[in-house]
Amino acid sequence: MTIKDLAEATGYAVGTVSRALNGHPNVSEKARAVILEAAQKSGFQFNTNAKQLKQIHSNAIIVVVKGVGNELFGEMVETIQHSLSRTKYQLLVDYLDEDLNEVTRALQLCRERKPRGVLFLGGNNQNFIQDFAAIDVPCVLVTSDGSKLPFPNLSSVTTDDLEAARCGIETLIAMGHRQIAVIGGDPSISDTSRLRLEGCMAAFAAHDIPFDPRRDYQSGRYSWQNGYEAVQTLLRGGLRYTAIFAAADVMAIGAIRALWEYGLRVPQDVSVMGVDGLPLGSYLVPQLSTVVQDGARLANRGLTILLESIEQGKKARHETVPFRVAKRESIREIPI
Amino acid sequence: MTIKDLAEATGYAVGTVSRALNGHPNVSEKARAVILEAAQKSGFQFNTNAKQLKQIHSNAIIVVVKGVGNELFGEMVETIQHSLSRTKYQLLVDYLDEDLNEVTRALQLCRERKPRGVLFLGGNNQNFIQDFAAIDVPCVLVTSDGSKLPFPNLSSVTTDDLEAARCGIETLIAMGHRQIAVIGGDPSISDTSRLRLEGCMAAFAAHDIPFDPRRDYQSGRYSWQNGYEAVQTLLRGGLRYTAIFAAADVMAIGAIRALWEYGLRVPQDVSVMGVDGLPLGSYLVPQLSTVVQDGARLANRGLTILLESIEQGKKARHETVPFRVAKRESIREIPI
DNA sequence: TTGTAGGCGTTATCAT
DNA sequence: ATGATAACGCCTACAA
């Protein structure tokens, strides 16, 4: 079923059919009605390829999701898909492993699909510095700060990772904790991990609490398993901590399990706090204390900025979305 | 940069360039080398739209994921993306809400993108009966049984949901439980939910254990929240159960939380068992007992069947993938 | 207002 | 082995 068939069926010429179908002017009401009617009941669909052949780019928006296991990103993809479903844009979601280069991947996708814009869920500044220059459509980096990057077509929306981690640690300190271990991602690979670690260290420094990353920090991927293993490594060192701060809820959950297996109860023996604010956290026993990132808001702001760049040519912006510390059952005050 | 430019640059005709670039026969080694070289250093990229315009269909494979929050599906999408990344096929992942019609959605996508095949992650037979006839590419329905459907281009790979649930309940019964409540999806909407409920009832019937769905079954979506609420509803009824069987791990986790808030401990006061075998379950305290579906295997078999249908024209098959009951910490024997 | 024709980048079918 | 050329489905001047 093509517009040619439609033309034949209605007796109009392809040009008229095309104009009618696309809502262009210079089509009589009658013709439009007849053609739309025919299209309707023949189940006509445009051939996107043919339609876009002529155009510089498609109406696709690509979402590049870095880190397949990231629960927060899952939520955000849903939000984005939902928001976009009522627009003319088509969503194209691409997942890639945490250690791959999201920018070269995006570049490849851009060449192939000629999208109107790209949304990065997670990303690494280093990769952007190296390879982003070749991408010319509007892009938004979500959950990673791009304000230091000099690209006019790259915006970013992020939670202030450093501050979020700092507040998390401050909360623990305010409750009397002094011996705090931190588990998180590899700071040499991930900006987010680095910032969160720095935030922790800033808090420790402000209170003159000794913290040696080589001893008190364990890194791994953001996964249940790695949280579990990180704590095992820490405890194997023989040191005692009254609290563990995990730079991701998933790690915190693995951490709690590892503590349990060592005979340590949460929060009675050790307090545990995460970062992300996964909905799951509220349903655990004990409920997970966490620094809540507003995933829906990150996603929506990111999308809004992207669409404004695409449609109104607005220039790149770098925004921060607020977070909040949720004190729940997995932490407790240390009696002095 | 088009193949035309490339032809001009190398002195060959567009036809030759096209053949060389696509690895077709009837191109001299010399020509191929020259052309590939030129393409290389000019950064040539095919125009996908133009390429696919001529072809009946693209090289896309569409994955329609039903139920955005489904953790198991998330895993499976990863697996599929991974397997497909080294092939010529492009993946197109589409998420839709649990209560939307996945078949009409797929039909629309088929018309738009002309994929080589479609993989349904979750689906409802009723929708297929109504609307599937219009889809003509090979499809595989994963996690839902399509063997009763009369379509020659629809395969399915599934865990035997009825049997899985039956085995779960049998396990509880073998441990001495007689008062068992079941929570799960809406059996009138979801085939999977219906089969799981039937499996439970079969087990109860086999042991002459009274079970009244109106009293002992609570349905909701597969989510933490709905598991939590389902148990609240059950307990509000004033009845006492020694075990709760949840037709999804996510619901089981919400259930445990709700029990806790009622002062009931798992497994001391109430045993809880789920279905799905989410990796998360092993990291909880207590570790969640569950009927493990082999997500990776479901995904891989589904993909294999789809590719065989596409490439070798093999006819539709309906397979079952084994499950296993994982007895972990959330259940205990009832002393007689 | 409507029809006609050329072109978008590629593949495929012919000749050569 | 290579080259010329006609599709593919749609849009858009331009002509009527």
Side-chain angles (χ1 to χ4, degrees), chain B residues 64-217:
Chain B
V64 177
V65 184
K66 182 158 185 176
V68 276
N70 192 314
E71 309 266 324
L72 188 65
F73 290 168
E75 271 183 71
M76 292 171 56
V77 171
E78 289 175 34
T79 306
I80 293 166
Q81 176 127 14
H82 193 77
S83 301
L84 229 41
S85 64
R86 302 212 156 276
T87 71
K88 64 177 175 179
Y89 299 104
Q90 305 158 358
L91 230 212
L92 218 129
V93 185
D94 189 76
Y95 296 88
L96 82 170
D97 272 351
E98 217 159 336
D99 34 77
L100 296 180
N101 184 321
E102 69 281 1
V103 183
T104 52
R105 173 68 153 267
L107 179 55
Q108 183 195 339
L109 286 167
C110 282
R111 294 215 236 254
E112 277 178 18
R113 328 289 306 203
K114 309 234 185 298
R116 302 286 291 242
V118 179
L119 218 40
F120 291 90
L121 261 40
N124 226 45
N125 279 13
Q126 192 52 44
N127 294 335
F128 280 79
I129 292 169
Q130 286 170 11
D131 304 305
F132 187 78
I135 298 183
D136 52 2
V137 292
C139 297
V140 180
L141 176 53
V142 183
T143 73
S144 187
D145 179 25
S147 63
K148 300 288 181 302
L149 300 170
F151 304 107
N153 58 329
L154 180 65
S155 300
S156 67
V157 186
T158 172
T159 302
D160 185 335
D161 286 305
L162 191 151
E163 197 57 22
R166 206 184 57 73
C167 287
I169 296 289
E170 284 287 356
T171 304
L172 291 171
I173 292 174
M175 293 175 89
H177 293 275
R178 290 295 177 276
Q179 293 147 305
I180 304 174
V182 178
I183 63 180
D186 185 335
S188 69
I189 292 183
S190 146
D191 296 318
T192 299
S193 303
R194 182 176 50 73
L195 287 168
R196 289 185 183 168
L197 176 54
E198 283 176 14
C200 293
M201 294 182 70
F204 290 130
H207 293 267
D208 287 323
I209 294 175
F211 180 84
D212 177 355
R214 283 168 306 185
R215 184 190 59 204
D216 305 320
Y217 185 73

Side-chain angles (χ1 to χ4, degrees), chain A:
Chain A
M1 182 56 56
T2 72
I3 59 170
K4 216 165 176 175
D5 300 320
L6 232 39
E8 207 159 320
T10 58
Y12 287 95
V14 288
T16 308
V17 174
S18 173
R19 284 186 290 262
L21 255 25
N22 288 292
H24 287 195
N26 290 335
V27 180
S28 67
E29 276 317 308
K30 175 160 168 262
R32 191 183 303 278
V34 171
I35 292 167
L36 257 36
E37 160 84 18
Q40 184 74 60
K41 68 175 176 197
S42 65
F44 169 82
Q45 289 283 333
F46 280 110
N47 178 320
T48 324
N49 291 317
K51 194 160 186 167
Q52 293 171 173
L53 179 53
K54 206 132 187 178
Q55 303 169 3
I56 297 172
H57 36 222
S58 67
N59 270 329
I61 285 180
I62 296 181
V63 177
V64 178
V65 184
K66 183 158 185 176
V68 277
N70 192 315
E71 308 265 325
L72 187 66
F73 290 168
E75 271 183 73
M76 291 170 57
V77 171
E78 289 175 35
T79 306
I80 294 166
Q81 176 126 15
H82 194 77
S83 302
L84 229 42
S85 64
R86 302 211 156 276
T87 71
K88 64 177 175 180
Y89 298 104
Q90 305 159 358
L91 231 212
L92 218 130
V93 185
D94 189 75
Y95 295 88
L96 82 169
D97 273 350
E98 219 160 335
D99 33 78
L100 297 179
N101 185 322
E102 69 281 1
V103 183
T104 53
R105 174 69 153 268
L107 180 55
Q108 183 196 338
L109 286 168
C110 281
R111 294 215 234 253
E112 277 178 17
R113 329 288 306 203
K114 310 231 185 300
R116 302 286 292 241
V118 179
L119 218 41
F120 291 90
L121 262 40
N124 226 45
N125 279 12
Q126 192 52 44
N127 293 335
F128 280 78
I129 292 170
Q130 286 169 10
D131 304 304
F132 188 78
I135 298 182
D136 53 2
V137 293
C139 297
V140 180
L141 176 53
V142 183
T143 73
S144 187
D145 179 25
S147 62
K148 300 288 181 301
L149 299 169
F151 303 106
N153 58 329
L154 180 66
S155 300
S156 67
V157 186
T158 173
T159 302
D160 185 335
D161 286 306
L162 191 152
E163 197 58 21
R166 206 184 58 72
C167 287
I169 296 290
E170 285 286 356
T171 305
L172 290 171
I173 292 174
M175 293 175 89
H177 294 275
R178 291 294 177 274
Q179 293 148 304
I180 304 175
V182 178
I183 63 181
D186 185 335
S188 69
I189 292 183
S190 144
D191 297 318
T192 298
S193 303
R194 181 176 49 74
L195 287 168
R196 289 184 183 169
L197 177 54
E198 283 175 15
C200 293
M201 294 181 69
F204 290 131
H207 292 268
D208 286 323
I209 295 174
F211 179 84
D212 177 356
R214 284 168 307 185
R215 184 190 59 203
D216 305 319
Y217 185 73
Q218 278 299 318
S219 76
R221 283 167 162 255
Y222 289 168
S223 69
W224 325 111
Q225 177 67 24
N226 280 275
Y228 178 82
E229 289 171 0
V231 164
Q232 286 188 323
T233 308
L234 284 169
L235 294 183
R236 208 176 293 132
L239 288 168
R240 294 284 305 278
Y241 299 96
T242 63
I244 290 181
F245 183 78
D249 284 349
V250 286
M251 293 187 89
I253 290 165
I256 291 173
R257 176 73 206 179
L259 290 167
W260 164 274
E261 291 182 5
Y262 267 82
L264 297 169
R265 297 293 167 271
V266 176
Q268 295 84 344
D269 302 315
V270 181
S271 291
V272 173
M273 177 169 249
V275 176
D276 274 348
L278 300 186
L280 166 62
S282 309
Y283 294 96
L284 297 175
V285 179
Q287 287 182 323
L288 185 61
S289 301
T290 184
V291 185
V292 183
Q293 294 202 68
D294 191 338
R297 187 146 163 194
L298 282 164
N300 280 325
R301 288 305 304 155
L303 192 54
T304 302
I305 291 176
L306 186 65
L307 293 180
E308 287 178 354
S309 303
I310 293 172
E311 293 169 354
Q312 303 162 33
K314 288 204 183 179
K315 61 180 191 176
R317 271 177 295 165
H318 298 277
E319 280 188 10
T320 271
V321 155
F323 59 87
R324 70 187 170 82
V325 175
K327 292 171 70 169
R328 299 199 281 234
E329 298 162 359
S330 69
I331 55 177
R332 68 154 200 157
E333 299 254 1
I334 294 266
I336 305 171

Side-chain angles (χ1 to χ4, degrees), chain B residues 163-178 180 203 207 243 245 273 289-291 323-328 331-334:
Chain B
E163 197 57 22
R166 206 184 57 73
C167 287
I169 296 289
E170 284 287 356
T171 304
L172 291 171
I173 292 174
M175 293 175 89
H177 293 275
R178 290 295 177 276
I180 304 174
H207 293 267
F245 183 79
M273 177 169 248
S289 301
T290 183
V291 184
F323 59 87
R324 69 186 171 81
V325 175
K327 292 169 69 169
R328 299 199 281 234
I331 56 177
R332 69 156 200 157
E333 299 254 1
I334 294 266

